Amino acid sequence: RLNYISHCFANICYNNVNIVNIQKGVRILSLALLPVFAPIVVSPLLFVLSDRWRRIMLVLYLCGLFAVAIHILSSIELGSVSLLTSTFGGSNGIAPLFFSEHPYGKIAAFGFLFVGAFALLYGLHVLKPGELAVSLVAIGSAIGVALAGNFLTLFIFWELLTISVGGLILLGGTPQAVRMGYRFILFQLGGGLMLFLGIMQHYAVTGSLLLAIPQAGLPFFLLGIGIKAVFLPLHVWLPWSYPSASFASSVVLAGLTTKVGVFAVARLLPAHHGIVLMGACMAVFGAAFALLQSNLRRLLSYHIISQVGFMVAGVGLGSFLSVDGGLLHMINHMLYKALLFMSAGAIIYSTGREDLHDLREKGGTAFSPIWKPIWVGMVGAIIGALAISGMPPFNGYVSKYLLKKAMYGAGPAQWMLWVAGVGTSISFCKFVYFGFIKGRAKAYRKLPVSMRVAVLAVSACCLLFGICPGLLSPLLPYHSSLQVYSWAGIWASLQIILAGVAIFVLLSKILEKGIRLPYWLSVEHLLYRPIISLAVGVYTHAGRIVELGVDGAMVRVIPYLFAFSRKVAHFDERTVGLVGGGVAESSAKVREGIYANLRGGVTHFYRRVRAVFQRLFFLLIKVDYDPGGERPYQLFNVRNFDFDFVLFMVTLLVLLGISIFIF
């Protein structure tokens, strides 16, 4: 009966637009895609419902996310589906919304669903309605990227994820959040443009938009994907933006943007030793800079760069074992990184502080250790720290075991990842010891029930997936064995952790005081500041050249305009006089009236034309780069953000036009 109804519906829509084209099964449409499109209906309701009903709806929603995640984990074939597909170009994959099952996308979608549900549970009582609504869109967009079957669908949800995550940062509400949110959006829109240019070049060569390793435009793909996957030195947006959002929003963000980048690296970029080396450099860089941070969320943000480096190295190597290890590490990282952000959020929510130095200020010894009033956060911090360090029997050990085995003999990258592992252990000794054990501060608020439940549930999952790693084996693309517990593997992990603990004990006094590098050694100062200064200088000089050219041209032209205006006026006066005289000779009664009307009309028209010329002239004179000018002309100042943004978008459109013309 269902097949008969579907057949009739397809016949009705055949001559216009095929609204829903089911290729295999209905499961992906009814379940896996439900979180992608449900925010269209659910998000607006969050603004109008009362607090009680909003929480009830969100509990039902996150239960639905869990259900879909379990559905994907059950290894049922999801099939493929096209939405809003016309008969034009169907064989070339030209469909606005085309979703299909892929092993890489399946494991990524599971992670977004599973961890996204826990993140919503954590923020149930503390996130504002706007943040909750945007969080639903962000989670759905990430799932849409994971399940995309062609480049057009991937690009749509790629950009939707950028906008929603940027909105989540902006909704932090502080001046810092607004500033960093704009930076995030500009950075990510630039990456989206690079990705789009690569897609166009690939389509020009292959004639197909179906997802595949690109046959052209690889540099654009590297830049576009590299921004989301925090390739060095394209990483600066992450430590800018994640600590600027609200603490509960940071939990949502921890499992989205960078993991979408890792998925894209695995799905679209060819295996190459350069990508492996990039991942190893990211791992060492992130771990090293995390040691320099005293802000809890900045420390965790730099460690996102480090752990994403492990994933990039794994999927970049391209072997079955390394890809399975990299993608499994992506899932495990979503869990324990969300747990660590939850623990940091517990300190922020309870004490109002998030800097390690503020937790040991003068007079702080009068307070009890932080772990006593928020012991749940302490449990989450310890389990998250052990998991990210690769301690058995937690989930981080399993994926790191696969990566170590796959990277054996991979050259310098193998040892760089080992060093990064030691740096990770040092960083989280610092995080737990100075944040919870030695930290002192007054707890002003108790953690809500939803926050406590979320922390304990994610902690249990980190332990469960470590003890029973086979639970996730149906998601592995190449079904690598997860028999990871051996004396050699355990000892190899313990060596890294013990080395990190020993170094922390030796350097604890230095780490407690903090290590502050001069600003001129930062990537922002060494790389981005010269680029920004150069761009501002180019735009400023170009504007001055245009200004001088326009002003000079108008100064030269204006005498001729006035001379022309005088001749026109003289001609009008003579013409009016002749016409008036002729009419007076033919009819003395109407002479005076006709003469006055004609002369007045022509004079009025002449004044109007002269006024237009004068206003146009003075407008061009005023369109300069003087920041102290009148309000309408301040928009043309290069130091004004609106002008910078307009120039940025115009530059993007010019590049787009050039690419279309050339390719």
mmCIF file of all heavy atoms in Angstrom, residues 158-174:
data_model
loop_
_atom_site.group_PDB
_atom_site.id
_atom_site.type_symbol
_atom_site.label_atom_id
_atom_site.label_comp_id
_atom_site.label_asym_id
_atom_site.label_seq_id
_atom_site.Cartn_x
_atom_site.Cartn_y
_atom_site.Cartn_z
ATOM 1 N N TRP A 158 26.997 23.367 5.423
ATOM 2 C CA TRP A 158 28.295 23.901 5.869
ATOM 3 C C TRP A 158 28.154 25.372 6.266
ATOM 4 O O TRP A 158 28.617 25.796 7.332
ATOM 5 C CB TRP A 158 29.291 23.731 4.734
ATOM 6 C CG TRP A 158 30.717 24.071 5.002
ATOM 7 C CD1 TRP A 158 31.285 25.302 5.008
ATOM 8 C CD2 TRP A 158 31.780 23.149 5.287
ATOM 9 N NE1 TRP A 158 32.622 25.219 5.265
ATOM 10 C CE2 TRP A 158 32.966 23.904 5.432
ATOM 11 C CE3 TRP A 158 31.854 21.770 5.406
ATOM 12 C CZ2 TRP A 158 34.199 23.324 5.702
ATOM 13 C CZ3 TRP A 158 33.079 21.186 5.675
ATOM 14 C CH2 TRP A 158 34.237 21.954 5.826
ATOM 15 N N GLU A 159 27.505 26.140 5.401
ATOM 16 C CA GLU A 159 27.323 27.561 5.680
ATOM 17 C C GLU A 159 26.267 27.795 6.764
ATOM 18 O O GLU A 159 26.386 28.733 7.562
ATOM 19 C CB GLU A 159 26.924 28.304 4.401
ATOM 20 C CG GLU A 159 28.029 28.351 3.355
ATOM 21 C CD GLU A 159 29.255 29.082 3.851
ATOM 22 O OE1 GLU A 159 29.324 30.308 3.680
ATOM 23 O OE2 GLU A 159 30.146 28.435 4.445
ATOM 24 N N LEU A 160 25.238 26.960 6.792
ATOM 25 C CA LEU A 160 24.236 27.083 7.848
ATOM 26 C C LEU A 160 24.858 26.813 9.217
ATOM 27 O O LEU A 160 24.524 27.475 10.209
ATOM 28 C CB LEU A 160 23.087 26.112 7.589
ATOM 29 C CG LEU A 160 21.851 26.249 8.487
ATOM 30 C CD1 LEU A 160 21.269 27.648 8.394
ATOM 31 C CD2 LEU A 160 20.802 25.214 8.102
ATOM 32 N N LEU A 161 25.798 25.875 9.271
ATOM 33 C CA LEU A 161 26.519 25.619 10.520
ATOM 34 C C LEU A 161 27.351 26.834 10.920
ATOM 35 O O LEU A 161 27.396 27.212 12.101
ATOM 36 C CB LEU A 161 27.415 24.389 10.363
ATOM 37 C CG LEU A 161 28.294 24.030 11.565
ATOM 38 C CD1 LEU A 161 27.435 23.627 12.753
ATOM 39 C CD2 LEU A 161 29.272 22.910 11.211
ATOM 40 N N THR A 162 28.001 27.455 9.940
ATOM 41 C CA THR A 162 28.783 28.660 10.226
ATOM 42 C C THR A 162 27.918 29.758 10.833
ATOM 43 O O THR A 162 28.265 30.368 11.850
ATOM 44 C CB THR A 162 29.446 29.169 8.932
ATOM 45 O OG1 THR A 162 30.449 28.237 8.517
ATOM 46 C CG2 THR A 162 30.087 30.539 9.148
ATOM 47 N N ILE A 163 26.771 30.009 10.225
ATOM 48 C CA ILE A 163 25.899 31.088 10.695
ATOM 49 C C ILE A 163 25.342 30.774 12.077
ATOM 50 O O ILE A 163 25.294 31.636 12.959
ATOM 51 C CB ILE A 163 24.769 31.321 9.683
ATOM 52 C CG1 ILE A 163 25.353 31.820 8.352
ATOM 53 C CG2 ILE A 163 23.756 32.322 10.213
ATOM 54 C CD1 ILE A 163 24.365 31.855 7.218
ATOM 55 N N SER A 164 24.917 29.522 12.293
ATOM 56 C CA SER A 164 24.319 29.170 13.580
ATOM 57 C C SER A 164 25.348 29.176 14.697
ATOM 58 O O SER A 164 25.074 29.668 15.807
ATOM 59 C CB SER A 164 23.635 27.804 13.491
ATOM 60 O OG SER A 164 24.532 26.804 13.027
ATOM 61 N N VAL A 165 26.550 28.660 14.454
ATOM 62 C CA VAL A 165 27.589 28.685 15.481
ATOM 63 C C VAL A 165 28.010 30.128 15.765
ATOM 64 O O VAL A 165 28.204 30.515 16.930
ATOM 65 C CB VAL A 165 28.802 27.831 15.055
ATOM 66 C CG1 VAL A 165 29.980 28.044 16.002
ATOM 67 C CG2 VAL A 165 28.421 26.359 15.033
ATOM 68 N N GLY A 166 28.141 30.939 14.715
ATOM 69 C CA GLY A 166 28.445 32.348 14.923
ATOM 70 C C GLY A 166 27.370 33.036 15.744
ATOM 71 O O GLY A 166 27.659 33.842 16.635
ATOM 72 N N GLY A 167 26.099 32.713 15.458
ATOM 73 C CA GLY A 167 25.011 33.282 16.247
ATOM 74 C C GLY A 167 25.062 32.844 17.697
ATOM 75 O O GLY A 167 24.768 33.624 18.603
ATOM 76 N N LEU A 168 25.458 31.592 17.924
ATOM 77 C CA LEU A 168 25.565 31.091 19.293
ATOM 78 C C LEU A 168 26.643 31.848 20.069
ATOM 79 O O LEU A 168 26.494 32.111 21.262
ATOM 80 C CB LEU A 168 25.879 29.596 19.259
ATOM 81 C CG LEU A 168 25.496 28.747 20.475
ATOM 82 C CD1 LEU A 168 24.029 28.910 20.802
ATOM 83 C CD2 LEU A 168 25.830 27.293 20.219
ATOM 84 N N ILE A 169 27.729 32.191 19.387
ATOM 85 C CA ILE A 169 28.782 32.979 20.042
ATOM 86 C C ILE A 169 28.295 34.401 20.298
ATOM 87 O O ILE A 169 28.489 34.959 21.389
ATOM 88 C CB ILE A 169 30.052 32.982 19.175
ATOM 89 C CG1 ILE A 169 30.605 31.559 19.028
ATOM 90 C CG2 ILE A 169 31.126 33.884 19.785
ATOM 91 C CD1 ILE A 169 31.671 31.414 17.972
ATOM 92 N N LEU A 170 27.644 35.011 19.314
ATOM 93 C CA LEU A 170 27.145 36.379 19.472
ATOM 94 C C LEU A 170 26.131 36.482 20.605
ATOM 95 O O LEU A 170 26.062 37.503 21.294
ATOM 96 C CB LEU A 170 26.508 36.849 18.165
ATOM 97 C CG LEU A 170 27.452 37.112 16.987
ATOM 98 C CD1 LEU A 170 26.650 37.325 15.717
ATOM 99 C CD2 LEU A 170 28.338 38.309 17.259
ATOM 100 N N LEU A 171 25.354 35.418 20.814
ATOM 101 C CA LEU A 171 24.337 35.443 21.859
ATOM 102 C C LEU A 171 24.939 35.398 23.255
ATOM 103 O O LEU A 171 24.196 35.498 24.241
ATOM 104 C CB LEU A 171 23.370 34.267 21.676
ATOM 105 C CG LEU A 171 22.380 34.406 20.511
ATOM 106 C CD1 LEU A 171 21.622 33.121 20.291
ATOM 107 C CD2 LEU A 171 21.422 35.553 20.770
ATOM 108 N N GLY A 172 26.264 35.240 23.344
ATOM 109 C CA GLY A 172 26.910 35.393 24.642
ATOM 110 C C GLY A 172 26.630 36.750 25.252
ATOM 111 O O GLY A 172 26.591 36.900 26.481
ATOM 112 N N GLY A 173 26.434 37.752 24.391
ATOM 113 C CA GLY A 173 25.942 39.049 24.840
ATOM 114 C C GLY A 173 26.996 40.027 25.305
ATOM 115 O O GLY A 173 26.729 41.225 25.346
ATOM 116 N N THR A 174 28.181 39.584 25.647
ATOM 117 C CA THR A 174 29.223 40.497 26.110
ATOM 118 C C THR A 174 29.895 41.173 24.912
ATOM 119 O O THR A 174 29.841 40.657 23.788
ATOM 120 C CB THR A 174 30.283 39.737 26.920
ATOM 121 O OG1 THR A 174 30.943 38.780 26.067
ATOM 122 C CG2 THR A 174 29.640 38.999 28.085
#
